[in-house]
Amino acid sequence: MKIHQSIIAGLLLAATTTQAFVPLNLAFTSNRLSYDGYSTSLQASTLERLPDSAVRIKIGVPGSATKAAYDKVCTELSKTITLPGFRKGSKIPPAVLENAMAAKGGRNALRVQAINTLLSELIESAIKEEHGLEPIGQPALETAAEELADNFKPGDDFDMFVKCDVWPEIQWTAVEGSDKPYMGMKGDKFNKALGDLRERYVTLEPIEDKDYALQMGDACVVNMEGYMATDDGQKGEKLPEAASGDRVDVVLGDGRYMTGLVEGLVNAKVEETKEVKVTFPEALKDKTLAGKTAIFDVTVLEASKRTLPEVTDEFANEVRAGLTAETLKKELQTAVDTEDAKEYTPARNAALAKSLALVMDVEVPDTLVTNQAREKFAMMMADMRNNGVNDDEIKNQINSDNFLKYKNIVKDDIIKDFKVSMATDEIARLENIEVEDYQIEEQMESIKQDAENSKEDFDETQIRSRVEATLLRQAVMDFLAEKADLEVKFVDGEGEFDESLMEKLAEESQAREESFEVETTEESEVADESSPVVEASATEEKEVEEETPVAEPVAEDRDLESMSLADKAFYALKDAGALDADGAK
């Protein structure tokens, strides 16, 4: 029998809380205390701020209120309890009720209930009305009611100390010279695109002076021979042919090649051979070289001065007949905007969100962190089930210790997401940013259609709320991208450098291999004329090799039974697409 995800969530809730979460507006639905026709003047409560947007409130309860609460509990119990000598529903003396409850193991049961009644009646007004705060989750007594009951006397004044998470106050980190800290942002992708265009039309002027020392911005043609570096930094094993080459074009510019190559060629002269130490990128496709250090003997064959064209009408006309500098820039800006919409926007939004989280100076209530972590944990357990973990094992994993470990892992991400959510809501309010109804309806119709096609449940109220929040966040991000003064750096992904050098080396290596194969074939044919048996053997072996299918990637063979919770969580997240192939979030 399979466990439905909602059941998993229920099991998790029971396993990770001692008291089920009750929305605050439902926690105060009981009838208000009656003080026998007169108003009781409660003492003003005092509030102490605690970390993580929590508060500690001292509520001073006068004796008249403690008596009223106790009497109410006794009255309610008298209506339901059956005791010898008393008619059901008749008024039973409190002492008799207490003795009856004590006989059943509830020595202070009436007093405990009276304390809880006072809490539910008084805490809402203390938090909301006296202190103007919005509570989150269920307020809890600092000391358990069972322990407080020992000193609770109906008719005597009584102090309650209550802890509760409250909705945090929005505060922005101060930014010098700006009254709107979230306006910290602008970009330079257009300049990068224009620079790339100018690079295509660069002109080269050969340098005849043999004593000229290469500088940044120059170009050169080199021969390269590489070796792996030993632990002591000396030349070791010779690199594969694919990592060496002749007449390789190199431009002395930042970020183009392996770290160290360009720096090693600065001040080099034509016909000079320099020993250059380089580091291959971690993300290089050839994993035998990725992240490794190598030493190259680089001989400079030719050197040239590079000149980038200025963006003039003449240059624009060269790019395409009829273009001017102004129209060229407009078309380029349009192209950049189009590309942004497809590729850059998600990365832009992620960068904006990260910046917003930094300038949003609020403490996030632990109640919110716990509730979000509980949802994520339930989803992870469901993913584990979908990945083949049996239901009994899942039940074993759902306990408070495992949940707390998981909560600590995801806590930082939850806090960041909450800060971003608060920031976007506040910016939308301050800047009057709204989402049009038709935009929401378009998204809702699309999601509804997908749900019908896949026969999934469709909770319209919940989904509508999420759609509206998502569209509002997008609108705020678009606003910030246009108006803010953010300095954006467009950084290529790790290891995504100009691979023309490696491609050149690989092409030359392939050409050498093909040449070698031709020579080998010719030699083999001469030998085969006198060795037919060898020919038959070689042909047979070749046929076997050609018929051997290339192994297809297979799923990892995982021993789920012996895995720790952390390993199971990792693979569940990885298979669900939450982690990339290297296990990074």
Side-chain angles (χ1 to χ4, degrees):
M1 174 177 158
K2 293 293 183 182
I3 305 177
H4 191 274
Q5 184 167 345
S6 61
I7 298 178
I8 291 178
L11 289 172
L12 174 62
L13 185 64
T16 58
T17 59
T18 56
Q19 181 177 11
F21 173 79
V22 180
L24 194 61
N25 62 331
L26 299 182
F28 303 104
T29 56
S30 60
N31 295 327
R32 293 295 176 183
L33 291 177
S34 171
Y35 300 126
D36 297 329
Y38 63 87
S39 174
T40 301
S41 177
L42 297 178
Q43 301 173 20
S45 64
T46 58
L47 181 140
E48 175 189 355
R49 289 280 185 175
L50 301 176
D52 299 331
S53 195
V55 294
R56 179 177 186 260
I57 298 177
K58 175 186 176 183
I59 301 177
V61 186
S64 56
T66 60
K67 184 177 186 306
Y70 182 77
D71 289 345
K72 179 182 178 181
V73 171
C74 292
T75 300
E76 293 297 324
L77 181 60
S78 295
K79 295 177 182 178
T80 58
I81 195 171
T82 300
L83 293 177
F86 294 93
R87 296 191 308 275
K88 190 170 184 178
S90 63
K91 187 174 182 179
I92 303 175
V96 176
L97 290 173
E98 287 206 3
N99 289 334
M101 296 303 296
K104 296 180 179 181
R107 182 173 61 89
N108 286 329
L110 298 181
R111 299 169 192 267
V112 168
Q113 184 59 39
I115 293 172
N116 287 331
T117 298
L118 287 169
L119 173 65
S120 65
E121 293 286 349
L122 304 177
I123 189 61
E124 181 180 31
S125 61
I127 295 176
K128 287 187 173 183
E129 298 172 14
E130 288 189 52
H131 301 288
L133 300 174
E134 187 65 34
I136 300 174
Q138 185 76 359
L141 289 165
E142 188 174 56
T143 303
E146 289 76 11
E147 185 175 343
L148 292 175
D150 290 334
N151 297 316
F152 178 86
K153 295 180 180 179
D156 286 359
D157 293 351
F158 180 71
D159 289 336
M160 291 191 300
F161 292 89
V162 182
K163 286 184 177 180
C164 181
D165 286 343
V166 296
W167 196 260
E169 296 180 356
I170 294 177
Q171 295 179 340
W172 300 99
T173 301
V175 176
E176 185 176 354
S178 175
D179 59 347
K180 293 182 178 181
Y182 54 85
M183 292 292 206
M185 324 181 234
K186 77 193 172 191
D188 62 354
K189 191 167 188 180
F190 170 81
N191 293 332
K192 182 177 184 297
L194 186 59
D196 290 343
L197 180 62
R198 294 172 66 204
E199 283 281 354
R200 296 181 192 176
Y201 292 85
V202 68
T203 57
L204 298 178
E205 180 184 352
I207 298 173
E208 304 297 341
D209 184 0
K210 301 297 183 182
D211 293 327
Y212 176 81
L214 287 170
Q215 301 299 316
M216 293 296 287
D218 292 338
C220 58
V221 179
V222 302
N223 287 344
M224 301 177 62
E225 188 169 2
Y227 305 84
M228 293 300 297
T230 61
D231 292 339
D232 58 358
Q234 303 300 312
K235 292 179 184 176
E237 181 183 353
K238 191 173 181 179
L239 287 174
E241 293 292 335
S244 298
D246 297 332
R247 298 196 63 79
V248 178
D249 293 316
V250 177
V251 176
L252 273 62
D254 293 330
R256 289 176 175 267
Y257 311 108
M258 302 161 288
T259 303
L261 177 62
V262 169
E263 294 81 355
L265 288 176
V266 172
N267 294 323
K269 300 176 181 179
V270 174
E271 297 183 355
E272 180 182 2
T273 298
K274 297 199 70 173
E275 184 175 285
V276 179
K277 184 177 292 186
V278 305
T279 302
F280 290 104
E282 291 286 350
L284 194 67
K285 294 178 182 178
D286 186 349
K287 295 307 178 184
T288 61
L289 298 178
K292 301 293 179 59
T293 300
I295 298 173
F296 280 87
D297 288 333
V298 185
T299 302
V300 181
L301 305 178
E302 302 171 9
S304 301
K305 276 282 187 182
R306 301 174 73 251
T307 303
L308 291 172
E310 296 298 325
V311 183
T312 62
D313 289 344
E314 291 76 12
F315 170 69
N317 189 65
E318 184 180 355
V319 173
R320 193 176 75 235
L323 280 179
T324 64
E326 183 179 356
T327 56
L328 171 64
K329 291 178 180 180
K330 286 183 178 180
E331 288 196 8
L332 189 61
Q333 185 64 62
T334 300
V336 168
D337 291 343
T338 301
E339 180 185 357
D340 284 353
K342 294 179 180 178
E343 301 177 3
Y344 168 59
T345 299
R348 180 205 71 182
N349 289 354
L352 287 171
K354 184 177 180 180
S355 298
L356 285 176
L358 293 176
V359 298
M360 174 57 70
D361 185 17
V362 298
E363 292 186 334
V364 180
D366 186 67
T367 298
L368 288 177
V369 175
T370 300
N371 289 342
Q372 283 292 310
R374 188 179 293 124
E375 290 183 13
K376 291 176 177 291
F377 191 75
M379 291 176 63
M380 186 180 72
M381 293 295 106
D383 287 338
M384 289 173 61
R385 184 201 66 198
N386 294 335
N387 287 337
V389 181
N390 64 62
D391 292 346
D392 289 338
E393 177 64 16
I394 292 174
K395 290 179 182 178
N396 290 336
Q397 300 295 349
I398 301 176
N399 57 64
S400 58
D401 288 341
N402 285 343
F403 172 71
L404 289 176
K405 291 177 183 177
Y406 179 81
K407 176 185 171 183
N408 289 333
I409 293 172
V410 299
K411 181 177 180 178
D412 288 345
D413 287 339
I414 291 173
I415 290 175
K416 186 194 75 172
D417 289 344
F418 178 75
K419 286 184 176 182
V420 173
S421 179
M422 284 196 71
T424 52
D425 287 346
E426 181 66 3
I427 293 170
R429 184 185 69 81
L430 293 173
E431 303 296 340
N432 297 316
I433 300 172
E434 297 180 348
V435 178
E436 299 291 343
D437 290 340
Y438 77 88
Q439 294 176 293
I440 299 174
E441 294 307 323
E442 285 179 355
Q443 292 293 321
M444 288 296 295
E445 188 61 32
S446 176
I447 296 173
K448 185 176 182 180
Q449 187 63 48
D450 290 342
E452 290 177 355
N453 293 338
S454 60
K455 297 182 179 179
E456 295 180 355
D457 294 337
F458 182 76
D459 187 334
E460 183 168 353
T461 301
Q462 185 181 53
I463 293 176
R464 181 178 294 276
S465 176
R466 291 180 180 177
V467 166
E468 187 171 359
T470 300
L471 291 175
L472 183 62
R473 176 177 291 200
Q474 181 62 50
V476 170
M477 295 302 180
D478 290 343
F479 167 82
L480 292 175
E482 178 183 357
K483 304 290 187 182
D485 189 28
L486 173 67
E487 193 63 36
V488 179
K489 292 184 179 180
F490 295 89
V491 182
D492 292 334
E494 183 180 354
E496 294 178 0
F497 67 111
D498 184 353
E499 293 192 1
S500 58
L501 172 65
M502 299 303 292
E503 292 175 358
K504 168 80 171 174
L505 300 179
E507 288 171 2
E508 292 187 354
S509 175
Q510 183 177 359
R512 284 193 292 270
E513 291 177 1
E514 291 175 352
S515 175
F516 175 76
E517 289 177 358
V518 171
E519 294 174 0
T520 303
T521 301
E522 291 175 350
E523 294 174 359
S524 177
E525 288 176 350
V526 172
D528 288 347
E529 292 178 358
S530 58
S531 304
V533 176
V534 175
E535 178 185 8
S537 175
T539 303
E540 183 176 314
E541 182 179 2
K542 182 178 181 181
E543 290 175 352
V544 171
E545 291 176 354
E546 292 177 347
E547 292 175 359
T548 303
V550 177
E552 294 291 332
V554 295
E556 298 175 56
D557 186 14
R558 303 171 188 165
D559 183 7
L560 294 173
E561 294 297 327
S562 62
M563 276 188 190
S564 66
L565 172 68
D567 289 335
K568 290 176 180 176
F570 170 82
Y571 283 114
L573 291 171
K574 181 178 178 182
D575 293 341
L579 302 176
D580 61 26
D582 296 323
K585 283 188 177 182

